[in-house]
């Protein structure tokens, strides 16, 4: 059995939705980042066996967005590509699947991609309207056509916002923000604590950008229509204050809630690509491994408390890798919501009910705040849903290398009630 | 036994004819092929069980390339041309008169005589791919269609739509052909056979053919008023008049073919087709021996020949050896070059110093593509595919696998050398390093760079996506492998190339330099500066030397003139006016030192420049006689010839044809005169020498070179109109 290693990675800047990348669709983001990755590694596209893309918004014109990206990026036609969807962990799923493909000997080099253009989530017509349009197209005579038109009412024209639909859990009927409010209530996390966490995220991310710590992993884009360079993430607000955050009204539970758009992740466009190879192939091509995934785990949990997913998944992966939380030199918990991360922090310390069903709860424990999300998280950098999993891994590999450290844990919560976690080992010399 | 038309027994009453010339890369209508067609038509007419004939090419990417140009150029005398025209017309008429259904299934280029053949069939079905193009390009060879094209084209698509096809040789694809009514349908190439059979059967079984055609093809009809209007003689005459005015304003009376075509079309109005065919034959026979036709054909062969590498290159050209290029510099040149390579499906990395420069380059490229999409030269999908092949960057990563890196940065030798040293590190051992310099020596840039054998010059003209010529410069160190790879790239992007030696200005700018410079001297002698422009345009240049200088920019022109002076000595002494204008510019950055400015529709001399000229004239007290128009032309053009002779002598180019090709395609040098060397040969090199001697008495820079005297001593025939280019090695 060959061992999978990560030999390189690059990402686009994460850009607020409906902004600079408004005209750059997911397949284009994916193509750009894959080409850049191949160029940076001086890799012939023919060296790629497979491409796996994590993507949530599923562009209507590219149902299997992975295949579209692979072909547009010049990966030979006889290779394979598939898209994966595990909601917020789609970008992590593509990495873990790539590793499985290599470890099981089915591929030797795989591009693991995470990509989402939240700017381009389609707006949908209601089913009633679609039916009426269909009837109109079937109508043959003028009379029938007129009567079909007559049946279309103004209220039919109200669109359904795809983004809103996507962020609502159909099983519980709760929006993702509602689950965050629920955790805030249950774990007694105040508005101030959440805002303070959000502020820190902005401060850490701004510092990272300022010091150029994210430059290596970020490529420059020249998007349509003006081709103006987009050099870095535009989410982090250097001058963020508690006062400004405090002014925001609760967004989900408008009356009594504590979750605002200020202490939630930003809606963002972006893509990440990682090159994963068998150790032999990497050696043959003269590529230095950045690191490897020691183990990964996904865990299920209550959909209405989906934010706790990282706790369960981390316990599972620590057991799998036979490690404990205090061995983790860096920890990433994706910042879907400040309340959700804070609930997880408390959950790591006192594993909540349900966690016991997964063995490994004993390997959890208090988290050193200095190890957590050291370069800020999605509250500042944004959360292009399908891309985030890849970013957590890429950023952690770079940060471990920078700090000359070895082991880290990256985790995220998953809409619908799951968690994902990977234990990352840096192999950088 | 036929060598072009292959067929077996009819199947179901349908005869399948495969057109495939055995000993040619493409199908052409040679005399033999026509003769065989005549026999085939007879056979079809006599065989009762045939109800339909399907014609399809056996060549990939080519249906019919038209008449056999090699045979055409050997036709001597009006009578011979008349005879071949009547011969083809008669066979195509027999084909058209057949009682059976004839269907042309067209995939690949179908041009000239090939399209005239297809137009003589009952139905034309074309493939929907990019290689399928239809045109009547005879006018580009100085001819007009001679096998019924001027009659059948207007019959099928109307006179007004025919005009651009016949007068300019406009090429159209299947969809454009269908919307004009030239073809009946556009289908995928692999469907042609099946569609052909279905049409044949449907027509055979039809009671009402019109109804069947309506059902099968659903032809688009123009509104009634348009159709009626287009049929009136008055409108037709008006269209012809308009077309004639346009041709006159563009060709300045140098090219007879379009005018002959217009006259033929005009005299055919209201005539029976039998008369019209006769008119066509008479008209083309008058053109056959016209010197312009000879030069047009010669240039056609030169261009074909230039697609082959020079004979001295012993390394094969592999078209697939260039799939990956990098362009350094995203200015107008770099962006244009990157767009060209990406357009041909070559993966292209484009680099500049900072994101702003790269962004500007990307905007340039997107601008060109957008324009091409709006003009329908490119589909939206194709434009996306071009951009997919581009990857912008500001660093050197990703160059290790590049087949060729093309440098298009500042014209500064030190900066370029620094870049090449860095490139030598950043690229792979096989990567060819090309410089797009226009004023520096390639060997100068290559000096002390590791592995200078992989360094070449690749000189594009501005704007690169429009100018057809590329100069490839080989230094004494350039390896044949590097040269072969560079040639492969130029072939792939479809440019005409000339391989030249390394010298200041290379070939084209070296020859242009004395021409533009002499205009600067002449400005101090003539009464009206526009006389210089008029003389040059009358000679057949696309624009006068003053307009050309403005296009380059006076600052650049003055700089180049100084470079040339340094390289070649006093025969390239810069015109003093350039220095003066440079000074003016030095005193006032914002000074408009363009030579010409627009006034209304016309151009006239810039008053500022006129002032400078006047004061210089006063200071110099120039009292020479004002040069005549002929003298202006001679003083502009003969120095080009003089310098070209030196280039030949110095082996900068291998043969005089290279000079002609480069000057016609690189600068637009009067094509109907065949290029500088051909022109000199036609008027006599000895006459050029004696004229130059006369001028040299006053202007020593115009002294004829020994090289030119040697050519004069050889007598006429330095340039054969149709020198066999087959001595060039075939890849």
């Amino acid at each position: 059995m060959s061992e999978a290693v990560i030999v390189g990675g690059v990402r686009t800047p994460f850009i607020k939705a409906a902004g600079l990348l408004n005209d750059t669709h997911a397949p284009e983001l994916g193509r750009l980042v894959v080409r850049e990755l191949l160029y940076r590694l001086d890799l012939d596209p023919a060296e790629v066996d497979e491409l796996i893309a994590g993507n949530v918004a599923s562009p209507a014109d590219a149902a299997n967005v992975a295949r579209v990206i692979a072909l547009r990026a010049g990966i030979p036609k006889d290779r394979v590509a598939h898209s994966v969807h595990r909601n917020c962990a789609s970008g992590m799923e593509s990495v873990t699947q790539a590793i499985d493909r290599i470890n099981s000997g089915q591929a030797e080099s795989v591009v693991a991609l995470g990509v989402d253009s939240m700017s381009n989530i389609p707006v949908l017509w209601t089913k009633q309207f679609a039916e009426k349009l269909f009837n109109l197209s079937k109508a043959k005579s003028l009379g029938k056509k007129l009567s079909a038109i007559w049946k279309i009412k103004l209220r039919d024209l109200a669109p359904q916002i795809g983004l809103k639909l996507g962020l609502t859990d159909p099983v519980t009927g709760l929006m993702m923000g509602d689950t965050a409010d629920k955790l805030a209530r249950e774990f007694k996390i105040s508005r101030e604590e959440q805002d303070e966490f959000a502020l820190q995220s902005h401060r850490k991310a701004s510092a990272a950008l300022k010091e150029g710590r994210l430059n290596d992993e970020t490529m420059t884009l020249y998007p349509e229509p003006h081709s103006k360079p987009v050099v870095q993430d535009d989410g982090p607000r250097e001058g963020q204050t508690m006062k400004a955050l405090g002014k925001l009204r609760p967004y989900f539970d408008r009356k009594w809630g504590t979750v605002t758009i200020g202490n939630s992740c930003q809606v963002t466009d972006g893509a990440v690509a990682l090159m994963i190879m068998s150790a032999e192939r990497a050696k043959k091509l003269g590529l230095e491994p950045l690191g490897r995934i020691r183990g990964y785990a996904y865990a299920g949990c209550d959909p209405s408390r989906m934010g706790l997913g990282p706790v369960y998944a981390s316990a599972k992966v620590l057991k799998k890798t036979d490690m404990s939380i205090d061995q983790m030199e860096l920890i990433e918990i994706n910042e879907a919501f400040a309340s959700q991360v804070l609930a997880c922090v408390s959950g790591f310390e006192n594993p909540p009910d349900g966690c016991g069903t997964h063995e490994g709860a004993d390997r959890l424990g208090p988290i050193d705040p200095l190890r957590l999300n050291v370069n800020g998280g999605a509250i500042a950098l944004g959360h292009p849903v399908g891309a985030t999993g890849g970013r957590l891994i890429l950023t952690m590999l770079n940060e471990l290398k920078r700090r000359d450290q070895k082991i880290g844990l990256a985790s995220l919560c998953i809409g619908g009630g799951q968690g994902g976690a990977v234990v990352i080992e840096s192999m950088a010399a | 036994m036929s060598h072009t038309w292959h067929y077996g027994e009819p199947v179901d009453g349908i005869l399948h004819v495969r057109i495939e010339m055995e000993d040619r890369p493409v199908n052409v209508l040679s005399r033999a092929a026509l003769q065989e067609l005549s026999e085939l038509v007879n056979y079809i007419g006599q065989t009762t069980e045939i109800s339909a004939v399907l014609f399809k090419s056996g060549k990939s990417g080519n249906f019919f390339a038209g008449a056999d140009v090699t045979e055409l150029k050997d036709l001597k005398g009006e009578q011979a041309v008349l005879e071949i025209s009547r011969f083809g017309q008669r066979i195509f008429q027999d084909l058209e008169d057949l009682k059976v259904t004839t269907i042309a299934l067209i995939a690949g280029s179908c041009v000239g005589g090939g399209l005239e053949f297809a137009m003589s069939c009952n139905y034309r079905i074309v493939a929907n791919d990019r290689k399928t193009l239809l045109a009547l390009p005879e006018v580009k060879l100085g001819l007009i269609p001679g096998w019924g094209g001027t009659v059948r084209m207007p019959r099928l698509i109307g006179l007004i739509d025919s005009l651009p096809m016949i007068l300019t040789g406009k090429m159209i694809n299947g969809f454009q052909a269908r919307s004009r009514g030239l073809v009946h349908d556009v289908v995928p190439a692999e469907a042609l056979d099946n569609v052909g059979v279905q049409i044949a059967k449907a027509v055979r079984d039809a009671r009402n053919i019109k109804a069947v055609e309506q059902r099968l093809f659903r032809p688009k009809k123009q509104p009634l008023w348009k159709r009626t209007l287009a049929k009136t003689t008055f409108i037709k005459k008006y269209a012809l008049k308009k077309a004639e005015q346009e041709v006159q304003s563009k060709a300045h009376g140098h090219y007879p073919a379009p005018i002959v075509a217009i006259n033929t079309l005009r005299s055919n109005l209201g005539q029976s087709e039998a008369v019209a065919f006769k008119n066509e034959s008479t008209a083309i026979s008058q053109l056959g021996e016209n010197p312009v036709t000879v030069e047009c054909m010669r240039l056609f062969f030169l261009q074909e020949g230039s697609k082959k590498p020079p004979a001295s290159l012993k390394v094969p050209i592999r078209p697939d050896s260039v799939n990956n290029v990098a362009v350094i510099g995203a200015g107008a040149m770099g962006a244009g070059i990157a767009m060209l390579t990406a357009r041909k499906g070559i993966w292209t990395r484009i680099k500049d110093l900072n994101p702003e420069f790269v962004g500007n380059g990307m905007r340039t490229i997107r601008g060109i593509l957008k324009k091409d999409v709006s003009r329908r030269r490119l589909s939206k999908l194709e434009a996306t595919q071009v951009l997919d092949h581009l990857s912008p960057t500001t660093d050197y990563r990703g160059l290790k696998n590049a087949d060729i890196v093309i440098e298009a940065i500042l014209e500064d030798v030190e900066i370029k050398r620094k870049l090449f040293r860095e490139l030598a590190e950043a690229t792979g051992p096989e990567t060819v390093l090309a410089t797009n310099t226009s004023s520096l020596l390639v060997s100068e840039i290559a000096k002390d760079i590791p592995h200078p054998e992989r360094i070449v010059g690749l000189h594009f003209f501005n704007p690169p996506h429009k100018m057809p010529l590329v100069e490839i410069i080989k230094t004494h160190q350039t390896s044949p492998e590097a040269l072969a790879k560079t040639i492969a790239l130029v072939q792939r992007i479809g440019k005409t190339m000339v391989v030249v030696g390394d010298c200041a200005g290379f070939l084209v700018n070296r020859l242009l330099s004395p021409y533009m410079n002499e205009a600067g001297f002449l400005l101090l002698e003539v009464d009206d500066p526009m006389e210089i422009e008029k003389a040059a345009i009358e000679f057949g240049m696309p624009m006068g030397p003053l307009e050309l200088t403005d296009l380059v920019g006076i600052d650049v022109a003055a700089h180049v003139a100084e470079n040339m002076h340094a390289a070649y000595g006093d025969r390239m002494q810069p015109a003093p006016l350039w220095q003066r204008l440079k000074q003016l510019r030095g005193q006032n950055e914002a000074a408009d030192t363009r030579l010409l400015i627009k006034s209304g529709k016309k151009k006239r001399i810039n008053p500022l420049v006129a002032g400078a000229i006047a004061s210089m004239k006063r200071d110099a007290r120039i009292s020479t006689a004002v040069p005549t128009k002929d003298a202006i032309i001679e003083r502009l053009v003969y120095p080009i010839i003089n310098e070209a002779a030196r280039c030949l002598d110095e082996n900068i180019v291998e043969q005089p044809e290279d000079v002609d090709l480069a000057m016609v395609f690189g600068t637009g040098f009067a094509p109907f005169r065949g290029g500088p060397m051909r022109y000199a040969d036609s008027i006599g090199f000895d006459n050029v020498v004696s004229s130059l001697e006369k001028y040299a008495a006053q202007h020593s820079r115009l002294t004829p070179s020994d090289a030119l005297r040697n050519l004069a001593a050889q007598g006429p025939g330095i340039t054969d109109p149709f020198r066999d280019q087959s001595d060039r090695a075939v890849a």
Side-chain angles (χ1 to χ4, degrees):
Chain A
M1 196 181 87
S2 49
E3 184 206 30
V5 293
I6 300 169
V7 296
V10 64
R11 67 177 178 93
T12 68
F14 281 10
I15 298 300
K16 287 185 273 187
L20 298 168
L21 299 182
N22 203 22
D23 294 331
T24 310
H25 293 234
E28 172 72 355
L29 281 173
R31 171 194 76 83
L32 284 162
V33 79
V34 172
R35 281 305 302 174
E36 184 65 22
L37 179 67
L38 295 173
Y39 272 121
R40 287 190 178 193
L41 295 173
D42 277 313
L43 204 59
D44 185 336
E47 295 286 353
V48 178
D49 297 337
E50 192 167 336
L51 183 144
I52 305 173
N55 172 258
V56 173
S58 302
D61 57 354
N64 179 5
V65 70
R67 181 63 174 163
V68 177
I69 291 167
L71 290 175
R72 284 183 57 188
I75 293 169
K77 290 174 190 164
D78 60 357
R79 309 307 152 84
V80 293
H82 69 281
S83 310
V84 293
H85 195 313
R86 198 195 280 269
N87 269 346
C88 318
S90 299
M92 186 175 278
E93 180 67 32
S94 69
V95 174
T96 56
Q97 282 204 13
I99 285 162
D100 283 350
R101 302 282 295 163
I102 291 167
N103 287 347
S104 63
Q106 298 187 71
E108 282 202 69
S109 73
V110 182
V111 174
L113 183 70
V115 57
D116 252 309
S117 172
M118 312 285 277
S119 303
N120 289 290
I121 294 180
V123 170
L124 310 166
W125 298 112
T126 59
K127 180 72 182 157
Q128 300 96 290
F129 184 52
E131 270 168 17
K132 287 174 184 178
L133 275 183
F134 185 65
N135 287 338
L136 174 61
S137 75
K138 274 199 306 189
K140 289 249 159 62
S141 71
L142 187 65
K144 280 192 177 148
K145 275 184 190 171
L146 280 177
S147 98
I149 291 174
W150 187 249
K151 282 193 185 126
I152 296 173
K153 300 284 183 274
L154 203 57
R155 64 171 178 275
D156 291 335
L157 300 178
Q160 290 189 296
I161 309 296
L163 181 62
K164 201 171 160 186
L165 291 179
L167 291 178
T168 304
D169 178 40
V171 177
T172 58
L174 294 176
M175 280 191 75
M176 291 302 123
D178 297 328
T179 72
D181 262 326
K182 182 169 176 162
L183 289 180
R185 290 192 300 269
E186 290 183 356
F187 283 81
K188 303 201 167 40
I189 301 161
S190 70
R191 167 77 186 266
E192 285 65 36
E193 285 174 284
Q194 293 176 42
D195 285 354
E196 175 62 28
F197 185 85
L199 180 70
Q200 291 310 324
S201 181
H202 278 286
R203 288 202 174 145
K204 286 188 278 189
S206 301
L209 286 181
K210 213 171 179 183
E211 290 165 27
R213 262 179 274 153
L214 303 177
N215 286 3
D216 266 0
E217 65 185 55
T218 316
M219 68 183 287
T220 303
L221 301 180
Y222 302 89
E224 297 264 22
H226 303 297
S227 305
K228 285 233 177 74
V230 175
V231 181
Q232 55 176 214
D233 309 315
D234 70 351
R237 293 187 287 270
E238 209 186 339
Q240 183 67 299
T241 60
M242 281 299 279
K243 199 174 162 199
L245 285 169
K247 273 186 189 160
L248 295 167
R249 283 191 40 199
Y251 188 79
F252 300 94
D253 175 355
R254 294 198 177 248
K255 260 184 170 167
W256 305 108
T258 51
V259 177
T260 69
I261 55 169
N263 57 37
S264 308
C265 63
Q266 299 183 32
V267 179
T268 302
D269 303 335
V272 190
L274 293 163
M275 189 73 227
I276 304 176
M277 287 185 178
S278 68
E280 294 93 89
R281 177 73 76 93
K283 199 172 172 193
K284 206 179 101 195
L285 294 169
L287 295 168
E288 293 288 330
L290 286 176
R292 64 186 187 106
I293 303 293
R294 276 219 188 159
Y296 71 85
Y298 296 98
C301 64
D302 175 6
S304 69
R305 295 183 181 83
M306 66 94 202
L308 289 177
V311 180
Y312 308 113
S314 298
K316 209 168 164 183
V317 75
L318 288 172
K319 161 117 172 108
K320 241 173 135 176
T321 53
D322 191 20
M323 301 192 83
S324 66
I325 189 71
D326 44 284
Q327 287 176 287
M328 301 295 125
E329 292 166 292
L330 288 175
I331 295 165
E332 287 279 344
I333 301 174
N334 185 43
E335 299 170 359
F337 302 94
S339 69
Q340 163 264 328
V341 181
L342 292 170
C344 284
V345 169
S346 138
F348 269 84
E349 201 166 350
N350 301 306
D353 289 348
C355 194
T357 55
H358 303 299
E359 289 174 52
D362 53 324
R363 294 169 184 273
L364 298 175
I367 290 176
D368 177 358
L370 290 176
R371 297 183 182 187
L372 179 66
N373 298 4
V374 291
N375 287 323
I379 289 173
L381 293 165
H383 184 19
V385 191
T388 297
R391 183 190 67 79
L392 295 178
I393 295 170
L394 176 61
T395 310
M396 180 165 285
L397 279 169
N398 285 330
E399 191 60 25
L400 284 170
K401 181 180 171 184
R402 207 178 63 83
R403 295 175 176 230
D404 204 13
Q405 290 177 333
K406 195 86 183 153
I407 298 283
L409 173 74
S411 66
L412 33 65
C413 61
I414 304 173
Q418 299 186 68
V422 292
V423 171
I424 299 169
E425 176 189 335
S426 169
M427 296 165 78
Chain B
M1 186 56 212
S2 171
H3 295 286
T4 304
W5 314 86
H6 310 270
Y7 51 90
E9 291 296 309
V11 181
D12 252 357
I14 299 169
L15 186 70
H16 293 261
V17 179
R18 177 170 50 87
I19 311 165
E20 187 169 1
M21 280 189 123
E22 279 155 7
D23 44 0
R24 299 282 194 106
V26 292
N27 294 324
V28 290
L29 281 158
S30 62
R31 180 178 281 275
L34 278 174
Q35 185 62 46
E36 288 171 10
L37 175 62
S38 160
E39 286 154 22
L40 171 61
V41 169
N42 276 337
Y43 162 75
I44 296 167
Q46 288 158 7
T47 314
T48 44
E49 67 257 40
I50 298 178
S51 66
V53 187
L54 304 182
F55 293 101
K56 199 179 161 221
S57 165
K59 304 268 187 202
S60 146
N62 166 257
F63 180 76
F64 247 128
D68 186 348
V69 191
T70 333
E71 274 180 21
L72 279 188
K73 73 174 166 58
D74 291 334
L75 288 179
K76 294 279 176 279
E78 282 188 21
Q79 200 53 40
V81 180
L82 185 75
E83 188 269 330
I84 190 80
S85 166
R86 297 299 292 172
F87 180 62
Q89 280 180 356
R90 204 187 65 235
I91 295 165
F92 286 179
Q93 190 62 54
D94 290 346
L95 173 67
E96 192 174 65
D97 291 343
L98 282 174
K99 295 278 181 293
V100 305
T101 310
T102 49
I103 305 172
L105 303 172
I106 302 165
S109 56
C110 172
V111 297
L115 183 54
E116 293 177 292
F117 161 76
M119 286 193 292
S120 310
C121 295
N122 298 120
Y123 300 103
R124 284 158 298 284
I125 309 297
V126 296
N128 62 3
D129 52 46
R130 280 203 85 68
K131 283 188 172 169
T132 300
L133 292 166
L134 295 84
L136 291 177
E138 284 84 352
V139 73
K140 291 181 178 167
L141 292 176
L143 292 169
I144 64 168
W147 289 332
T150 64
V151 183
R152 290 197 179 91
M153 177 76 78
R155 188 214 288 165
L156 287 171
I157 70 174
L159 179 74
I160 291 166
D161 277 344
S162 301
L163 288 174
M165 300 284 298
I166 295 172
L167 300 183
T168 68
K170 183 186 168 96
M171 260 196 186
I172 57 176
N173 65 27
F175 296 101
Q176 293 166 314
R178 181 173 61 180
S179 73
R180 284 169 174 77
L182 184 58
V183 303
H184 294 82
D185 210 350
V186 191
V187 302
E190 67 276 9
L192 281 173
D193 288 313
N194 184 19
V195 170
V197 170
Q198 285 188 49
I199 294 170
K201 288 185 176 164
V203 172
R204 183 189 62 200
D205 303 335
R207 249 180 289 164
N208 179 348
I209 288 199
K210 279 259 180 293
V212 169
E213 287 179 353
Q214 183 67 36
R215 178 172 60 79
L216 288 177
F217 307 128
R218 298 172 189 269
K220 277 183 210 147
K221 270 201 173 171
Q222 292 209 311
L224 184 67
W225 65 269
K226 254 191 180 169
R227 272 181 285 153
T228 324
L229 212 57
K231 274 183 196 155
T232 58
T233 314
F234 170 73
I235 292 290
K236 288 181 182 172
K237 279 190 174 154
Y238 179 74
L240 284 166
K241 197 173 147 198
K242 270 283 175 212
E244 188 167 8
Q245 282 168 357
E246 205 181 314
V247 167
Q248 291 291 14
S249 79
K250 274 187 187 157
H252 302 284
H254 293 312
Y255 299 90
I259 299 298
V260 168
I262 288 170
N263 289 336
T264 311
L265 290 168
R266 191 181 281 134
S267 60
N268 287 352
L269 289 181
Q271 297 288 343
S272 73
E273 289 202 344
V275 175
F277 282 126
K278 265 195 191 133
N279 285 344
E280 181 186 85
S281 292
T282 317
I284 192 177
S285 69
Q286 290 162 359
L287 285 170
E289 286 251 293
N290 189 298
V292 175
T293 312
V294 174
E295 296 311 336
C296 288
M297 283 201 198
R298 174 174 174 269
L299 286 172
F300 170 80
F301 282 106
L302 283 186
Q303 202 180 8
E304 289 295 299
S306 82
K307 289 177 184 162
K308 298 173 194 162
S312 52
L313 185 68
K314 301 297 181 214
V315 177
I317 311 293
R318 291 187 295 113
D320 61 348
S321 60
V322 181
N323 292 311
N324 219 318
V325 308
V327 178
I328 314 294
M333 285 307 274
I337 296 167
M339 197 275 300
L340 275 176
T341 53
R343 204 164 178 147
K344 295 294 171 184
I346 300 171
W347 296 100
T348 304
R349 188 88 157 151
I350 177 166
K351 180 207 174 288
D352 210 320
L353 287 177
N354 62 46
E356 279 65 40
F357 292 170
V358 177
N360 290 341
M362 289 304 289
R363 190 161 48 247
T364 309
I365 293 170
R366 286 196 170 114
I368 298 169
L369 293 175
K370 212 170 171 188
K371 205 166 171 188
D372 281 351
V373 169
S374 73
R375 300 248 167 103
R376 306 221 175 162
R377 283 192 284 250
L378 214 60
S379 73
K380 263 195 176 155
L381 180 64
E382 285 164 335
T384 307
Q385 285 163 350
V386 176
L387 290 168
D388 278 357
H389 283 83
L390 277 168
S391 181
T393 183
T394 50
D395 59 46
Y396 287 125
R397 284 182 287 190
L399 301 191
K400 283 271 185 284
N401 290 328
D403 299 308
I404 301 187
V405 177
I406 303 163
E407 165 274 314
I409 63 167
L410 273 177
E411 286 285 279
D412 179 306
V413 74
E414 282 315 314
I415 298 177
K416 281 193 201 275
R417 288 165 54 95
K418 180 170 170 283
L419 172 71
F420 271 75
R421 272 194 297 273
E422 289 163 359
L423 284 177
E425 287 280 306
T427 57
E430 305 275 294
T431 309
V432 171
L433 305 181
T435 169
N436 181 50
T437 183
S438 58
S439 61
L440 302 167
L441 287 177
V442 178
S443 50
E444 193 70 22
I445 297 169
K447 207 159 85 187
D448 299 332
I449 307 293
H451 299 293
E453 71 278 0
R454 58 186 183 135
I455 298 178
V456 297
L458 189 57
H459 181 215
F460 287 84
F461 293 80
N462 195 11
H465 64 288
K466 284 193 180 149
M467 298 297 285
L469 186 79
V470 172
E471 285 178 306
I472 297 176
I473 301 101
K474 59 174 206 290
T475 70
H476 60 283
Q477 288 173 306
T478 305
S479 72
E481 289 76 19
L483 190 59
K485 225 187 230 181
T486 312
I487 291 174
L489 171 72
V490 176
Q491 286 180 339
R492 184 133 175 222
I493 58 179
K495 294 283 179 197
T496 302
M497 66 182 164
V498 53
V499 179
V500 304
D502 191 20
C503 65
F506 311 131
L507 179 67
V508 171
N509 285 344
R510 176 172 170 183
L511 299 192
L512 267 187
S513 205
Y515 166 80
M516 287 163 73
N517 209 18
E518 195 62 27
F521 284 103
L522 281 166
L523 272 174
L524 297 185
E525 299 174 39
V526 293
D527 286 333
D528 176 8
M530 294 316 286
E531 279 172 32
I532 302 173
E533 298 292 275
K534 271 186 212 140
I537 286 165
E538 208 163 293
F539 177 78
M541 299 300 194
M543 65 179 84
L546 307 181
E547 195 181 339
L548 182 63
T549 306
D550 282 342
L551 199 73
V552 177
I554 186 77
D555 298 344
V556 178
H559 180 71
V560 170
E562 282 160 26
N563 275 351
M564 292 300 192
H565 188 204
Y568 298 111
D570 279 344
R571 72 172 189 272
M572 298 254 190
Q573 188 189 15
L577 179 62
W578 300 161
Q579 291 304 318
R580 182 58 174 270
L581 292 177
K582 212 178 150 187
Q583 280 168 13
L584 283 176
R585 184 74 157 217
Q587 290 157 10
N588 176 9
E589 273 281 317
D592 178 5
T593 48
R594 279 178 302 166
L595 300 175
L596 304 178
I597 52 169
K598 267 201 166 167
S599 84
K601 272 192 171 177
K602 288 196 169 168
K603 289 204 163 186
R604 63 182 176 85
I605 192 86
N606 181 349
L608 183 85
V609 177
I613 293 171
S615 81
M616 288 176 80
K617 273 185 177 173
R618 264 196 316 277
D619 295 347
R621 296 207 182 78
I622 291 173
S623 57
T624 46
V626 175
T628 63
K629 190 164 78 188
D630 284 347
I632 293 175
I633 291 175
E634 288 178 9
R635 280 179 55 185
L636 288 173
V637 177
Y638 290 4
I640 298 180
I641 299 164
N642 197 11
E643 200 61 34
R646 287 179 198 262
C647 287
L648 274 170
D649 188 53
E650 294 167 19
N651 279 323
I652 297 301
V653 284
E654 288 184 2
Q655 48 177 5
E657 282 74 15
D658 292 339
V659 173
D660 289 345
L661 185 82
M663 289 307 277
V664 170
F665 289 98
T667 73
F669 185 101
F672 64 96
R673 297 195 195 272
M677 298 314 265
R678 178 78 183 141
Y679 172 63
D681 207 9
S682 70
I683 56 171
F685 277 95
D686 46 350
N687 287 324
V688 177
V689 169
S690 57
S691 289
L692 281 175
E693 272 170 348
K694 194 178 68 197
Y695 296 122
Q698 216 171 9
H699 313 282
S700 62
R701 63 181 177 278
L702 298 176
T703 312
S705 62
D706 290 343
L708 186 67
R709 289 179 196 279
N710 286 340
L711 287 180
Q714 286 176 37
I718 309 277
T719 61
D720 185 313
F722 301 112
R723 183 187 301 250
D724 187 7
Q725 296 283 317
S726 61
D727 59 342
R728 295 189 151 210
V730 178

